[in-house]
Amino acid sequence: RICGSRGTKTQHKQGGADRENVTAIVTICVDGTTLCPTIIFKGQNFMSKWAENNVSGASLAHSPNGWTDGELGMLWMVKDFDGQTKEKAGGRTWVLLMDGHSSHYTLELLEYARDNNIVILGYPPHCTHVLQGLDVVCFAKMKEEFCKEIRKFKDSHFASVGKGNFAGVFGHAFLRAFMPDSIRAAFEATGVHPFNPDVITEKQMKPSLPTSTRGTFPLTQPSPVRA
């Protein structure tokens, strides 16, 4: 139950303003499994308390702005992707689909992939909302579960989620959101497996229609404004 002003259609819940960037790298596999996620905290040094209650077994890292970069991208490729999929591949060539973030395409990373029989396919710009299974299927469920975990944490601790609690809150939501059926549905919905390019319609790939209007002054302006 919520107490609010009478007649107000939308009731807003107050939240804290002391927020920082945290990046989570999530990788799903066509067999319905997922790799352990990678969580990147903002900070100059890594604090041991950030690793508490890491229920998802995530790889933990840090960067000055909380974003990934070329160095972290390379570590992810070697430790997380190759480390967690090499045995499954069994010596065969395996494919990695990635978005266009610059950290994914450093020369070092591409050479490592080539030398280890990994084929990298990049999504075209501005198309991940249609082509990337995580965006199409999985992240909606993850957002829902993550919001539930945040509310649950706040209600039980009477405090906001901090860096020391993030791995646990994120991890519980991650384990509930990424289930085999939804992961396989992500590959099917985007036509990756079973391979079916017809699931992507021409309408989905059309460029956005222009919606801007040309601005005008209400009165004729003298030069040089008019020019």
Side-chain angles (χ1 to χ4, degrees):
R1 297 184 180 184
I2 301 173
C3 296
S5 302
R6 176 182 292 181
T8 303
K9 293 183 179 181
T10 303
Q11 303 290 345
H12 296 279
K13 185 176 182 180
Q14 185 176 358
D18 54 337
R19 299 182 180 181
E20 290 187 357
N21 291 319
V22 178
T23 298
I25 301 176
V26 177
T27 308
I28 56 175
C29 304
V30 75
D31 60 359
T33 61
T34 179
L35 306 189
C36 295
T38 299
I39 299 175
I40 304 172
F41 293 99
K42 179 181 179 180
Q44 297 295 332
N45 299 291
F46 188 83
M47 306 295 289
S48 59
K49 65 179 181 180
W50 298 349
E52 294 179 1
N53 200 24
N54 185 12
V55 295
S56 64
S59 297
L60 305 178
H62 69 283
S63 69
N65 54 16
W67 303 338
T68 186
D69 55 27
E71 182 180 354
L72 291 176
M74 184 62 191
L75 289 173
W76 171 84
M77 167 60 77
V78 176
K79 180 182 176 182
D80 292 334
F81 180 76
D82 193 22
Q84 297 181 51
T85 62
K86 199 175 192 70
E87 183 177 351
K88 184 188 299 186
R92 297 170 297 175
T93 301
W94 69 111
V95 178
L96 172 61
L97 301 173
M98 295 197 294
D99 61 28
H101 195 278
S102 59
S103 66
H104 299 157
Y105 298 98
T106 62
L107 180 60
E108 185 182 14
L109 186 148
L110 295 175
E111 289 178 342
Y112 181 90
R114 180 196 60 193
D115 295 342
N116 288 273
N117 207 20
I118 301 170
V119 174
I120 294 179
L121 299 179
Y123 292 109
H126 313 296
C127 294
T128 54
H129 67 289
V130 175
L131 301 179
Q132 187 182 58
L134 287 166
D135 281 350
V136 174
V137 177
C138 300
F139 282 155
K141 179 63 174 177
M142 179 62 196
K143 181 179 179 180
E144 178 185 347
E145 295 295 341
F146 190 44
C147 289
K148 288 180 181 179
E149 280 297 318
I150 291 175
R151 289 195 296 268
K152 180 180 177 181
F153 180 89
K154 289 182 176 180
D155 290 344
S156 59
H157 293 81
F158 299 100
S160 299
V161 178
K163 291 181 181 178
N165 319 114
F166 184 87
V169 173
F170 175 88
H172 286 296
F174 176 85
L175 293 176
R176 290 202 305 270
F178 289 88
M179 304 301 293
D181 289 344
S182 61
I183 294 173
R184 284 190 286 264
F187 286 98
E188 183 175 357
T190 51
V192 176
H193 183 79
F195 180 65
N196 182 13
D198 294 332
V199 301
I200 308 300
T201 65
E202 183 178 351
K203 181 179 179 181
Q204 288 177 300
M205 302 307 294
K206 282 185 176 181
S208 300
L209 296 175
T211 56
S212 300
T213 58
R214 184 175 181 178
T216 58
F217 288 105
L219 299 175
T220 302
Q221 300 295 312
S223 180
V225 175
R226 187 177 182 181

